[in-house]
Amino acid sequence: DAARIARNRGDGGEMIIDALQRRKAGAMSRINAAMDDTLGAPANVPESVENIRQWANTIARPMYDQFYQSPVQASPSLTKLLERADADGLLGAAKKRLSFKGFDPEDQANMPRLLDQLKKLADDKAGAARRAGERETFADYSRFAREIRDEADRATSGVAGLGPYAEARRMAGTGMQYEDAVDLGRDAFRKSLSPDQMRADMQRLGPGQRGAYDLAARDSLRHVARNASSNFGPTGDNAIRRALGADNAREKVEILAGPQRSRQLMRRLDAETEFARTQ
């Protein structure tokens, strides 16, 4: 009946057409509001990730304190590692950092702290090389950071990957791990990334890194909406519905936001699709 009236000239037709146009004009604001309800309010990703990092460090602090109090078992592998760190200049830098914090770097009781500082310095070097695009240097320092980490575990708990230092690292992570988590999150809605791979990526992350991943993934989903809105202008809502209409994309939203919130967003998108069909 509405279509018949709209086809005829007169006040009734103009009223219906005007109502449809106003409804279409509000599509983007309704979709954006639904996304905020589903994903939470937009956040400053770098600032929010730093807050998560501080929170993770706080909950990891007791495990770090336990590691710092652990006796270190001397071994040829530990001696060799310290010699390599000395040749690279990392050992001197780590001792300076320790002295600045008020600890005697020559005291054997502070060896766990010294190893932790060495690992952080190697991570810093790797991160700087990564940002500079120096792939070989990045690989070298990343590998050395892992060797320091494993040696610290073995020297204090007997096994690499176990003990208080390993647990503290899992909870707190490192700056580079947070960067990796943010990079993974920003790629979450690439068409080539399957939902299964998305789940696998998320399962490898510690608590703090998972929070960073979620923030970046939610921000990337908003980028999809913003880019569609700006690139397609009045038909931006169509572009968003197409981008999130695929089964893979919907499954990813559910992984990220949970079933209930995901259904709320999908109901809104489906409603907007139905609105568009009546235009």
Side-chain angles (χ1 to χ4, degrees):
D1 289 343
R4 177 178 52 78
I5 296 171
R7 282 194 294 269
N8 296 322
R9 294 182 179 179
D11 291 345
E14 291 178 3
M15 188 180 299
I16 290 172
I17 291 172
D18 180 61
L20 291 171
Q21 288 175 340
R22 280 188 286 109
R23 187 179 68 186
K24 181 170 177 57
M28 281 303 306
S29 63
R30 290 191 297 270
I31 290 173
N32 285 331
M35 291 186 71
D36 286 348
D37 288 342
T38 301
L39 304 176
N44 180 312
V45 173
E47 182 179 300
S48 299
V49 168
E50 182 57 34
N51 291 337
I52 291 173
R53 194 201 312 262
Q54 292 176 10
W55 165 80
N57 284 333
T58 298
I59 64 171
R61 178 53 51 196
M63 301 307 299
Y64 274 114
D65 289 341
Q66 185 178 340
F67 166 65
Y68 293 150
Q69 300 302 317
S70 301
V72 171
Q73 299 298 319
S75 67
S77 59
L78 176 59
T79 300
K80 185 176 179 180
L81 183 143
L82 292 174
E83 288 173 351
R84 289 171 58 199
D86 191 22
D88 190 83
L90 289 180
L91 184 60
K95 288 182 176 182
K96 285 183 179 179
R97 278 194 181 185
L98 216 56
S99 295
F100 184 76
K101 292 175 181 290
F103 299 99
D104 181 2
E106 304 304 329
D107 186 344
Q108 184 65 19
N110 289 326
M111 179 58 72
R113 294 180 184 274
L114 182 63
L115 291 171
D116 186 36
Q117 289 298 324
L118 276 176
K119 181 186 177 301
K120 289 175 180 177
L121 284 167
D123 282 334
D124 290 346
K125 292 274 191 180
R130 181 185 188 180
R131 289 188 293 273
E134 299 169 354
R135 298 177 62 180
E136 186 174 349
T137 303
F138 166 70
D140 288 343
Y141 279 109
S142 295
R143 184 167 51 251
F144 193 38
R146 288 193 298 271
E147 291 175 10
I148 297 169
R149 172 197 72 191
D150 292 345
E151 188 60 39
D153 288 342
R154 284 191 291 267
T156 55
S157 62
V159 182
L162 294 178
Y165 190 41
E167 183 64 16
R169 292 195 312 272
R170 188 191 71 79
M171 295 168 71
T174 66
M176 197 160 55
Q177 287 172 320
Y178 279 91
E179 290 177 15
D180 288 342
V182 169
D183 288 343
L184 285 172
R186 284 177 175 150
D187 286 342
F189 285 90
R190 279 191 297 110
K191 290 182 180 179
S192 58
L193 185 79
S194 70
D196 287 342
Q197 184 60 54
M198 182 179 182
R199 289 189 185 91
D201 290 341
M202 295 169 79
Q203 287 171 357
R204 290 198 299 268
L205 303 173
Q209 293 83 58
R210 171 63 190 272
Y213 178 97
D214 285 353
L215 276 171
R218 292 173 187 220
D219 191 58
S220 74
L221 185 55
R222 285 194 169 89
H223 273 298
V224 171
R226 283 195 293 268
N227 290 340
S229 177
S230 58
N231 292 343
F232 295 92
T235 60
D237 59 306
N238 297 340
I240 295 172
R241 287 188 285 103
R242 282 196 301 272
L244 297 181
D247 289 343
N248 274 6
R250 291 187 174 221
E251 189 174 347
K252 289 178 183 179
V253 174
E254 183 173 334
I255 293 170
L256 191 62
Q260 183 175 351
R261 289 184 178 275
S262 173
R263 281 195 296 271
Q264 291 174 358
L265 177 58
M266 295 313 158
R267 278 199 298 268
R268 167 51 53 196
L269 294 174
D270 290 343
E272 295 300 337
T273 298
E274 197 63 31
F275 288 168
R277 286 175 182 156
T278 67
Q279 186 71 9

